[in-house]
Amino acid sequence: MAPTTAAITPTSQAHEKTLGEQYVVHKKDRAMVGHKDFSDDIPVISLAGIDEDYPGGRREQILKKIVSACEEWGIFQVVDHGISDELFTQMFELSRQFFALPDEYKLRYKMTQGKKGGFTVSSHFPDEAVANWRELMLFMERPIQGRDYSQWPDKPEGWRPIIDEYGVKLAEVSGKLYELLSEGLRLERDALTKTLGEIHGHLVVNHYPKCPQPDLAVGLKRHTDPSSMTVLLQDQVGGLQATKDDAKTWVTVRPIKNALVVNLGEHLYYMSNGRYKRADHRAIVNGEHNRMSIALFFHGENEAKVYPLNVKEGETPLLEEPITYAEMRKRHNILYLDRIKIAKLAERENWSQEELMRKLTELEQRSNA
Ligand SMILES: O=C(O)CCC(=O)C(=O)O
Ligand SMILES: [Fe+2]
């Protein structure tokens, strides 16, 4: 009998009866709100009329809505952004075909240390005990001269022109959002983008296959994005969840055809001195449908300076000294892992919720000092 290859990816494990134990998350991290229990709490903002740029014009209203969404959630959806649905359909179709390819093919593009993009299963840190029920393909989209096409799959055909167009169109939308977010901080329109230097675009295509025991797993654990801003396209299945009260309650973001979800990341949180929240989010899975999302992470240059741009009278700056973008990302990872360690300790030593919150706040303050 020919030896069988062990199923390596969640796609090839999706047909098993039970979930592999590496995917079983702690009770407190399981979803209590379902992937289809859609909420309308996350603002949906139309960009129609954004060029009506005069007192009382549409731009003013859009600005108000965006600023209030960022102050409350750090996450919102935009519609009427001017990108055709056809482009989104093409992106999803290429992605669907790619993830349906055999493990051996996808693993040819496996992302290892030093590689510029590629295929990854789960993408959890080695220190995290539990794996995410997902696989992903990372394309280093920009700067264009930094691309390594040997890490771009040749199947299905046609990734390059579609990603080129997708990158350009999303950069246009994010450019408009950066202007509004700068204005919301009472700064010149180019204030935020100027601090980033050359923008780096990392395009992550996430695949969450249908899961044998979806109540026990998560697709992508709770996190904030290490980016400046992330613009996310999700399919119609549902599974993106957000919290604004430190994971006490979660809402499932309603999928809207042709909408883009905007998540503010670490960079905009610091630059606004915490006035804009960072999107606190996760992705859950289900037992009926494969789900896909396509996230374009906008990053600054490693050497870009990160510091609160205008600290108001009486406010404490979140950072005492400017740090580099690379340092910001490093701290973000360390903080993420330290939070996990503290949560484990709290469980072992039976801390009260207040004690845990106090320790986590202290941890964050230390990381900013
Ligand atoms: O799949 C989703 O909806 C969320 C993806 C996400 O948060 C990420 O890739 O950082
Ligand atoms: Fe994310």
Side-chain angles (χ1 to χ4, degrees):
M1 212 167 77
T4 51
T5 332
I8 294 169
T9 64
T11 305
S12 51
Q13 295 161 341
H15 305 288
E16 289 169 11
K17 283 212 168 53
T18 53
L19 186 70
E21 62 181 27
Q22 71 273 31
Y23 296 110
V24 178
V25 296
H26 190 276
K27 273 204 191 76
K28 69 172 183 3
D29 296 326
R30 293 180 195 162
M32 304 302 286
V33 179
H35 78 285
K36 282 197 283 201
D37 296 333
F38 301 132
S39 154
D40 291 312
D41 287 6
I42 304 292
V44 179
I45 302 171
S46 165
L47 297 186
I50 195 167
D51 298 324
E52 292 169 22
D53 189 3
Y54 43 78
R58 263 290 292 161
R59 196 173 196 283
E60 254 179 24
Q61 295 164 20
I62 297 172
L63 171 64
K64 258 199 210 131
K65 286 188 186 164
I66 288 186
V67 168
S68 123
C70 292
E71 289 178 345
E72 190 179 356
W73 288 97
I75 176 166
F76 55 95
Q77 304 206 57
V78 290
V79 292
D80 303 320
H81 40 58
I83 305 178
S84 79
D85 202 28
E86 196 191 334
L87 179 61
F88 293 165
T89 308
Q90 285 168 321
M91 280 295 285
F92 278 131
E93 188 49 29
L94 285 170
S95 309
R96 190 190 59 73
Q97 289 180 33
F98 173 75
F99 288 111
L101 290 164
D103 284 0
E104 300 81 68
Y105 178 78
K106 292 186 279 191
L107 289 163
R108 257 196 244 162
Y109 295 94
K110 190 172 171 180
M111 191 161 77
T112 47
Q113 190 79 37
K115 288 245 168 95
K116 287 186 167 175
F119 176 73
T120 303
V121 175
S122 177
S123 174
H124 61 287
F125 287 100
D127 285 10
E128 286 180 286
V130 180
N132 295 311
W133 182 261
R134 75 152 172 179
E135 46 194 276
L136 66 88
M137 183 65 212
L138 165 64
F139 296 89
M140 302 293 228
E141 186 265 326
R142 65 182 57 197
I144 301 207
Q145 68 277 14
R147 290 181 181 179
D148 173 2
Y149 288 119
S150 70
Q151 282 300 99
W152 290 43
D154 54 9
K155 283 193 216 161
E157 269 177 38
W159 279 111
R160 259 199 237 183
I162 300 299
I163 290 185
D164 281 344
E165 190 182 346
Y166 192 78
V168 169
K169 290 278 168 23
L170 257 68
E172 276 168 26
V173 173
S174 82
K176 289 179 184 158
L177 297 174
Y178 273 116
E179 289 189 358
L180 292 163
L181 292 170
S182 299
E183 274 183 89
L185 297 173
R186 305 197 187 294
L187 300 166
E188 295 293 320
R189 288 185 185 179
D190 62 354
L192 284 166
T193 40
K194 249 181 18 200
T195 65
L196 286 168
E198 184 170 33
I199 300 224
H200 286 55
H202 295 179
L203 183 81
V204 173
V205 186
N206 290 304
H207 183 230
Y208 311 94
K210 63 180 181 187
C211 180
Q213 293 179 288
D215 298 342
L216 303 183
V218 291
L220 176 52
K221 281 178 243 119
R222 177 187 176 195
H223 67 284
T224 58
D225 288 348
S227 56
S228 173
M229 176 196 292
T230 309
V231 181
L232 182 92
L233 176 66
Q234 65 163 332
D235 65 17
Q236 296 300 297
V237 175
L240 171 62
Q241 294 195 323
T243 176
K244 60 172 174 174
D245 57 13
D246 216 357
K248 283 188 212 52
T249 56
W250 288 92
V251 297
T252 307
V253 179
R254 182 185 293 283
I256 298 174
K257 209 142 179 35
N258 206 21
L260 290 165
V261 181
V262 180
N263 287 338
L264 301 199
E266 200 71 358
H267 172 257
L268 287 172
Y269 168 74
Y270 281 123
M271 299 308 277
S272 66
N273 202 35
R275 181 171 160 204
Y276 297 152
K277 296 258 181 71
R278 350 169 221 206
D280 196 346
H281 61 291
R282 68 178 177 189
I284 63 165
V285 290
N286 74 87
E288 297 142 52
H289 301 287
N290 298 335
R291 173 172 182 265
M292 284 188 299
S293 70
I294 300 174
L296 185 45
F297 294 81
F298 289 100
H299 287 292
E301 287 175 5
N302 277 341
E303 303 72 34
K305 286 262 174 301
V306 181
Y307 57 97
L309 278 174
N310 63 347
V311 181
K312 291 205 203 99
E313 277 279 312
E315 262 181 13
T316 318
L318 275 177
L319 292 170
E320 284 170 12
E321 297 278 328
I323 55 173
T324 62
Y325 196 92
E327 173 66 19
M328 176 197 85
R329 292 193 63 176
K330 198 167 117 201
R331 288 188 192 182
H332 181 266
N333 282 350
I334 293 173
L335 190 62
Y336 179 82
L337 292 172
D338 284 352
R339 284 181 76 103
I340 292 173
K341 276 188 209 143
I342 289 195
K344 274 192 197 146
L345 200 63
E347 210 181 291
R348 223 174 21 236
E349 298 183 353
N350 237 333
W351 297 356
S352 68
Q353 187 62 18
E354 291 71 43
E355 175 82 354
L356 173 63
M357 295 313 286
R358 197 170 53 74
K359 288 279 188 355
L360 289 173
T361 311
E362 273 172 23
L363 178 71
E364 180 130 0
Q365 282 163 349
R366 270 204 309 278
S367 127
N368 289 336

